[in-house]
């Protein structure tokens, strides 16, 4: 297995590292400290990153994008996350959905949505699935049970659809210009057979943003409530087929998917290891440097070891995906593993730092709060259950 990087991958890695170190990291902590969740967002950094190509990284070259492979997306995500993991997530949220438009939309939809996305540095994307009474069951509904999954209703009216209901915790909620929204078009069957994905511009009458949620971690990242009140959507904004909404995304095997979360976690881990090492080598306790205490050495060893194991797992998974090798479950396992690692590593970093570790002004505390968000990203717990039956026998044929 050859993990050496090609010229293009190195280029993007270097660009992302420079942007993260020089432009993202210096603003990261100050934004995190702002109390109002709507005010934490900084358009300047997003527009600047967009000009450097980070917003449109995954769009095919045919549409003016960079068509970066999965290893490149992983490398960029790691670097940007070292700068600030919620700024990097704002960009990668666009990779998933711009890619889906390019892969699955009609020519007319690409003209209407992908073209403006490519032309406007402030054009962000969001995806609405989760509701107050539907979370992970969006991903693992008890088969064919109409009670499970989203309830937002879409009813046909001539060539149009009328949407009523709401979505919760939706990423880029208060800042996106375009949303991909799952709605129930047949409430009598399960969501696999009875839902449709609609493409909805932000300024559509009957659609508005409600709350912007105030989160403990990833404070820059905007998670909003989407409210639909007799919102009229033309039939030409259906993505894929009516009642084929779940399929529209599931069929797209070339989406970055949850590797983005694992790569993002790796960026945080690198940051935490660097901070812990620096503190341990420069501050004293009991008359000697913190790094000279054996207990701290064991903690640093564990932090380093877990981070390196995560790096190998993430890059291997991205590498396999680039070669279209069969996925026996690594895409999910690497996300599950990243949750364990990012939370253990950031907690150890806090312990090594002493009281400074839990002070609000310090980046140590921010990293731990950011890591906590992984507990509730992408239905991690339910995915752990779901993946088990797909796992192959050991030893794995390579
Ligand atoms: C920062 C952030 C960003 C997000 N962005 C988006 C977004 O852009 N779009 C979007 O649609 N959603 C988004 N979400 C929502 C999130 O992806 C979903 O709510 C996810 O399903 C949460 O999973 P959960 O397991 O944490 O909790 P839930 O699915 O809400 O479950 C609650 C509890 O019930 C358990 N449980 C759930 N289902 C089952 C089951 N079938 N069997 C047994 N136990 C079960 C869970 O393990 C958990 O303990 C975001 C959430 C966060 C925190």
């Amino acid at each position: 297995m050859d993990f050496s990087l090609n010229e293009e991958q190195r280029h993007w890695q270097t660009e992302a590292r420079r942007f993260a170190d020089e432009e993202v990291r210096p603003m990261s902590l100050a934004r995190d400290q702002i109390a109002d969740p709507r005010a934490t967002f900084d358009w300047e950094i997003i527009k600047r990153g967009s000009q450097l190509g980070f917003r449109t990284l995954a769009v095919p070259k045919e549409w003016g994008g960079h068509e970066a492979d999965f290893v490149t997306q992983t490398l960029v995500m790691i670097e940007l996350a070292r700068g600030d993991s919620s700024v990097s997530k704002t960009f990668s949220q666009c990779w998933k959905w711009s890619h889906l438009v390019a892969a699955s939309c009609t020519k007319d939809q690409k003209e209407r949505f992908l073209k403006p996305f490519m032309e406007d540095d402030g054009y962000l994307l969001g995806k609405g699935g989760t509701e107050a009474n539907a979370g992970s069951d969006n991903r693992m509904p008890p088969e064919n049970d109409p009670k499970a999954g989203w309830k937002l209703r879409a009813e046909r009216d001539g060539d149009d659809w009328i949407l009523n209901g709401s979505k919760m915790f939706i990423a880029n909620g208060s800042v996106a210009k375009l949303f991909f929204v799952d709605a129930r078009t047949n409430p009598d069957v399960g969501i696999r057979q009875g839902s449709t994905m609609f493409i909805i511009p932000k300024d559509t009458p009957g659609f508005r943003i409600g709350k912007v949620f105030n989160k403990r971690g990833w404070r820059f990242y905007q998670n909003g409530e989407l409210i639909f009140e007799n919102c009229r959507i033309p039939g030409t904004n259906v993505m894929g087929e009516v009642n084929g909404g779940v399929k529209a995304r599931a069929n797209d095997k070339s989406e970055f998917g949850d590797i983005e979360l694992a790569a993002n976690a790796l960026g945080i881990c690198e940051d935490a290891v660097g901070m812990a090492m620096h503190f341990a080598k420069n501050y004293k306790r009991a008359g000697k440097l913190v790094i000279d205490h054996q207990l701290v050495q064991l903690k640093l060893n564990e932090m380093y070891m877990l981070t390196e194991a995560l790096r190998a797992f993430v890059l291997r998974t991205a590498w396999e995906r680039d070669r279209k090798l069969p996925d026996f479950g690594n895409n999910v396992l690497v996300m599950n593993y990243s949750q364990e690692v990012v939370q253990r590593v950031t907690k150890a970093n806090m312990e090594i730092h002493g009281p400074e570790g839990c002070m609000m002004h310090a980046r140590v505390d921010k990293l731990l709060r950011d890591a906590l968000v992984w507990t509730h990203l992408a239905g991690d717990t339910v995915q752990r259950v779901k993946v088990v039956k797909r796992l192959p026998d050991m030893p794995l044929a390579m």
Side-chain angles (χ1 to χ4, degrees):
M1 199 173 282
D2 179 7
F3 278 156
S4 52
L5 304 181
N6 64 34
E7 209 175 304
E8 193 175 350
Q9 290 164 339
R10 279 217 183 281
H11 161 78
W12 280 107
Q13 184 186 43
T14 308
E15 279 296 293
R17 184 170 297 167
R18 196 207 52 72
F19 177 57
D21 286 346
E22 293 175 14
E23 302 186 51
V24 178
R25 199 176 174 91
M27 48 71 71
S28 161
L29 199 52
R31 287 281 151 184
D32 173 76
Q33 304 284 314
I34 296 171
D36 175 2
R38 283 181 189 259
T40 59
F41 198 77
D42 179 358
W43 276 111
E44 286 314 306
I45 200 76
I46 295 302
K47 289 184 178 169
R48 176 80 186 115
S50 173
Q51 286 155 7
L52 295 170
F54 297 123
R55 195 179 54 90
T56 50
L57 195 67
V59 176
K61 289 197 171 130
E62 177 195 349
W63 284 91
H66 304 284
E67 204 170 333
D69 61 16
F70 291 126
V71 168
T72 306
Q73 291 180 49
T74 302
L75 295 168
V76 168
M77 184 53 33
I78 297 166
E79 296 301 331
L80 295 185
R82 264 193 336 103
D84 186 297
S85 69
S86 49
V87 173
S88 62
K89 183 68 173 84
T90 305
F91 288 117
S92 67
Q93 191 66 4
C94 294
W95 302 352
K96 296 196 286 191
W97 302 103
S98 58
H99 178 269
L100 193 64
V101 177
S104 308
C105 278
T106 62
K107 192 161 183 310
D108 159 65
Q109 288 170 339
K110 287 180 198 172
E111 288 288 336
R112 285 190 292 136
F113 303 121
L114 195 53
K115 229 172 169 186
F117 171 79
M118 293 307 298
E119 287 164 359
D120 176 355
D121 288 318
Y123 202 117
L124 298 179
L125 305 175
K127 155 77 201 310
T130 303
E131 299 177 2
N133 285 299
S136 303
D137 49 345
N138 296 339
R139 290 184 175 233
M140 193 179 75
E143 290 300 329
N144 300 324
D145 185 347
K147 291 198 290 300
W150 45 73
K151 299 287 182 298
L152 188 135
R153 185 78 170 99
E155 288 175 288
R156 218 188 256 279
D157 184 31
D159 290 338
D160 298 340
W161 293 86
I162 308 294
L163 270 61
N164 279 291
S166 65
K167 298 283 178 186
M168 303 275 276
F169 314 130
I170 305 310
N172 287 345
S174 56
V175 289
K177 289 196 172 154
L178 191 70
F179 291 89
F180 301 84
V181 176
D182 294 306
R184 211 62 174 257
T185 31
N186 180 354
D188 301 325
V189 295
I191 64 168
R192 281 178 202 286
Q193 298 80 34
S195 52
T196 303
M197 191 183 284
F198 292 90
I199 309 174
I200 306 184
K202 170 187 120 181
D203 50 9
T204 306
F207 170 40
R208 65 186 168 91
I209 305 300
K211 274 181 233 152
V212 173
F213 296 93
N214 199 6
K215 299 193 301 302
R216 178 153 295 277
W218 269 9
R219 294 188 52 78
F220 181 97
Y221 200 46
Q222 302 286 299
N223 284 88
E225 180 186 23
L226 314 186
I227 300 173
F228 299 87
E229 291 157 324
N230 292 322
C231 175
R232 181 176 289 275
I233 306 292
T236 49
N237 283 21
V238 166
M239 178 154 189
E241 292 164 23
V242 172
N243 291 328
V246 175
K247 232 173 28 192
R249 189 179 177 192
N251 283 347
D252 182 17
K253 297 291 177 226
S254 47
E255 182 197 320
F256 195 34
D258 292 335
I259 310 176
E260 69 157 331
L261 300 178
N264 193 322
L266 180 54
I268 298 182
C269 291
E270 285 189 359
D271 194 6
V273 172
M275 289 174 72
M277 282 288 190
H278 180 265
F279 182 85
K281 287 178 180 171
N282 288 285
Y283 289 86
K284 289 182 176 171
R285 293 294 186 272
K288 53 185 179 181
L289 287 174
V290 169
I291 199 167
D292 289 329
H293 292 285
Q294 201 177 44
L295 182 70
V296 174
Q297 290 165 1
L298 289 173
K299 278 191 181 149
L300 287 169
N301 176 299
E302 189 192 17
M303 290 171 77
Y304 217 98
M305 176 181 66
L306 288 171
T307 301
E308 283 308 300
L310 179 58
R311 186 192 316 283
F313 198 176
V314 173
L315 281 171
R316 175 186 154 179
T317 308
W319 183 90
E320 285 175 350
R321 293 277 306 274
D322 276 332
R323 279 151 192 77
K324 302 198 176 4
L325 298 177
D327 170 28
F328 297 113
N330 275 356
N331 284 340
V332 173
L333 291 179
V334 74
M335 175 186 75
N336 301 152
Y337 185 63
S338 74
Q339 188 213 318
E340 305 278 340
V341 170
V342 76
Q343 294 182 349
R344 274 164 71 179
V345 168
T346 52
K347 182 161 173 284
N349 183 36
M350 189 194 78
E351 289 162 2
I352 288 171
H353 273 81
E356 174 89 356
C358 56
M359 297 296 157
M360 284 291 287
H361 67 265
R363 194 171 169 88
V364 186
D365 163 74
K366 176 186 187 299
L367 295 191
L368 182 57
R369 285 186 284 106
D370 286 346
L372 283 177
V373 170
W374 261 254
T375 309
H376 293 296
L377 289 177
D380 187 82
T381 318
V382 161
Q383 295 270 50
R384 286 177 195 231
V385 175
K386 185 177 166 184
V387 75
V388 168
K389 288 187 180 163
R390 280 169 53 204
L391 299 178
D393 288 339
M394 290 281 179
L396 257 182
M398 292 289 289

